[in-house]
Amino acid sequence: MSDKRSVRDVDVRGQTVLVRVDFNVPFKPGTSEISDDGRIRASLPTLRYLLEQNCALIVCSHLGRPKGRIDESVRMAPVSQRLAELLGLRVLQCNETIGRDVSALAGCLMGGDVMMLENTRFQPGEEANDAEFSRELASLATFYINDAFGAAHRAHASTEGVAHWLPSAAGLLLERELRFLGDALEDPHKPFASILGGAKVSDKIGVLDNLADKADLLLIGGGMAATFIKALGFNVGESPVEDDRIAFAKSLIYRSESGEVRLLLPDDVVVADRFNADADSRTVPVGSIPGGFRIMDIGPNTERQYCEAIKACKTVMWNGPMGVFEWEAFSHGTQVIAETLASLDDATTVLGGGSTAEAVAVLGLTDKMTHVSSGGGASLEFLEGRGLPGVEALPNR
Ligand code: ADP
Ligand code: MG
């Protein structure tokens, strides 16, 4: 259980609250049409809660990468419009992030009003975590709520700095993230399995390292399986291998041989002759990957073994797809793992990573999981056991 103070632990009635959310939503290319408003929806419980407490809300977020300058293509207006639709309320959109006009508007807000600041990254002080910018943001409000889990791994002014200038607490989304990710790492119901996949070992070394000590069972899939399979002494054909990570893979294999952790590696794989959706593909044992072919997914025997192992677990943490799930021919491993997790009745299932969340969303299984993290990079850093600056800056209960 996280010991960070939550919005539910404090009396915020009638306050003017600066709420940092993660509204860094995707747009249909070249338009101002939001293609996925999931992040806006994810903030609604906190915003509604605060409105019920008769707070005036000053909502802020970054959007895109404007690098400290005004960039017309990433103004917040389309986002505040969508927020207004979802809340069923007017949302006043500021044209600036801070300044005299913004302060004047903030001063006029009443309980139940909602105002959105302009993109925090229009200000060079945001990513620099500049104290002066933090103080100006803070001066707009009487309380600060951080609900931007997806940005909590950044020590920026609106995610970290501002918390030093105002009484602060975590929003409901941030609280939920800390509870599920934190409990899985600190106090999991056992047996605890961790499934790791995705493109590269190097992206996941920190997570592997941290989870190897905590999990009873590690299951490896995805492109990074190739490095492990090569470490076992097999030929992996054209699969990209991170040769500088072979030693790391071997050390994990040794630890599993000495009984320190149970490590499951693919027994068969789906391979293809090109990295292409329509490549020529076949299923082979890991010991006989043909020259010229590369690993694209786990095979059916592996699926069976992994699913059986998972079914015996009480907590399952999953990060990283089992194959190139974006292409139908190589999506089966990821699909079967997702369906197995979805079918578990009395296990806690916690998913992290942007692609993993996307894969499960495409399958329509998000609601069947105990928790799917809203933060890609932030969830990875959390699973690595690193403190998140945006969380650390909040006071304890
Ligand atoms: P997450 O965002 O969930 O942390 P990653 O970013 O580590 O996951 O990896 C996701 C990517 O890994 C996906 O785009 C997927 O296509 C790719 N991937 C999975 N398996 C393979 C493979 N065998 N070869 C190449 N890429 C793979
Ligand atoms: Mg990713």
Side-chain angles (χ1 to χ4, degrees):
M1 193 69 189
S2 161
D3 50 2
K4 289 300 170 184
R5 184 198 280 163
S6 144
V7 62
R8 295 185 299 173
D9 300 326
V10 290
D11 182 5
V12 288
R13 268 173 303 178
Q15 304 269 355
T16 299
V17 183
L18 179 70
V19 195
R20 177 49 155 107
V21 290
D22 177 9
F23 282 175
N24 187 27
V25 292
F27 289 86
K28 292 194 178 141
T31 74
S32 57
E33 202 180 323
I34 297 169
S35 56
D36 178 358
D37 64 4
R39 287 180 169 169
I40 305 178
R41 290 175 188 274
S43 77
L44 296 177
T46 299
L47 300 182
R48 288 195 177 121
Y49 178 87
L50 292 169
L51 289 168
E52 277 163 22
Q53 307 289 311
N54 196 37
C55 296
L57 304 189
I58 302 175
V59 181
C60 70
S61 175
H62 76 282
L63 179 61
R65 298 174 180 274
K67 295 264 172 245
R69 278 180 284 125
I70 293 174
D71 175 343
E72 296 298 333
S73 72
V74 283
R75 284 201 179 269
M76 296 303 293
V79 179
S80 55
Q81 229 168 54
R82 175 57 57 87
L83 176 63
E85 287 163 25
L86 292 170
L87 281 174
L89 290 172
R90 257 195 77 200
V91 175
L92 177 66
Q93 176 61 60
C94 299
N95 295 324
E96 291 162 308
T97 318
I98 49 163
R100 234 186 17 206
D101 293 352
V102 176
S103 296
L105 287 170
C108 297
L109 296 177
M110 317 262 284
D113 287 346
V114 185
M115 174 168 106
M116 176 112 77
L117 301 182
E118 190 48 277
N119 196 335
T120 55
R121 287 198 190 164
F122 283 3
Q123 292 287 329
E126 167 69 336
E127 293 186 64
N129 199 5
D130 176 61
E132 192 48 40
F133 176 52
S134 299
R135 219 155 53 87
E136 280 214 51
L137 277 176
S139 73
L140 300 172
T142 57
F143 208 96
Y144 171 68
I145 296 288
N146 189 353
D147 211 23
F149 180 72
H153 57 317
R154 309 284 183 217
H156 293 170
S158 69
T159 60
E160 202 274 347
V162 68
H164 301 289
W165 299 101
L166 281 174
S168 313
L172 300 174
L173 174 65
L174 184 57
E175 183 190 16
R176 189 180 153 79
E177 292 278 3
L178 298 177
R179 181 163 85 239
F180 283 109
L181 293 172
D183 281 0
L185 293 184
E186 280 156 35
D187 190 20
H189 291 270
K190 299 255 181 177
F192 172 31
S194 181
I195 311 168
L196 288 161
K200 297 203 302 212
V201 180
S202 50
D203 288 344
K204 302 289 161 79
I205 280 207
V207 181
L208 275 163
D209 242 347
N210 191 31
L211 290 174
D213 289 336
K214 300 186 157 77
D216 303 299
L217 181 60
L218 282 178
L219 304 98
I220 307 288
M224 69 186 211
T227 299
F228 283 88
I229 292 167
K230 185 167 177 190
L232 288 172
F234 296 119
N235 177 9
V236 295
E238 293 298 304
S239 312
V241 167
E242 293 168 272
D243 281 310
D244 53 338
R245 306 301 185 191
I246 294 269
F248 173 81
K250 279 189 174 157
S251 76
L252 257 189
I253 292 167
Y254 289 141
R255 284 170 71 182
S256 78
E257 283 165 353
S258 70
E260 235 182 276
V261 59
R262 226 179 117 211
L263 177 69
L264 290 188
L265 295 172
D267 179 65
D268 60 347
V269 284
V270 179
V271 295
D273 65 343
R274 290 171 294 146
F275 191 71
N276 192 289
D278 322 302
D280 184 10
S281 69
R282 56 185 78 162
T283 300
V284 295
V286 291
S288 27
I289 296 172
F293 281 70
R294 63 181 65 210
I295 298 170
M296 301 290 273
D297 197 5
I298 56 175
N301 285 334
T302 308
E303 286 173 3
R304 224 168 294 125
Q305 285 168 17
Y306 283 17
C307 290
E308 216 163 287
I310 291 165
K311 281 180 185 157
C313 291
K314 286 276 176 280
T315 307
V316 186
M317 165 77 72
W318 181 17
N319 172 249
M322 295 291 98
V324 187
F325 73 97
E326 295 93 336
W327 293 334
E328 162 90 55
F330 313 109
S331 63
H332 200 258
T334 301
Q335 181 182 338
V336 168
I337 295 289
E339 284 167 352
T340 302
L341 291 197
S343 74
L344 299 177
D345 295 326
D346 59 343
T348 304
T349 50
V350 181
L351 278 56
S355 289
T356 311
E358 186 194 325
V360 172
V362 168
L363 293 165
L365 295 173
T366 305
D367 292 343
K368 301 267 193 224
M369 307 298 170
T370 310
H371 180 67
V372 179
S373 179
S374 63
S379 68
L380 284 194
E381 292 199 17
F382 195 93
L383 296 180
E384 288 172 1
R386 286 158 62 172
L388 306 180
V391 174
E392 308 267 286
L394 297 174
N396 288 335
R397 282 209 166 83

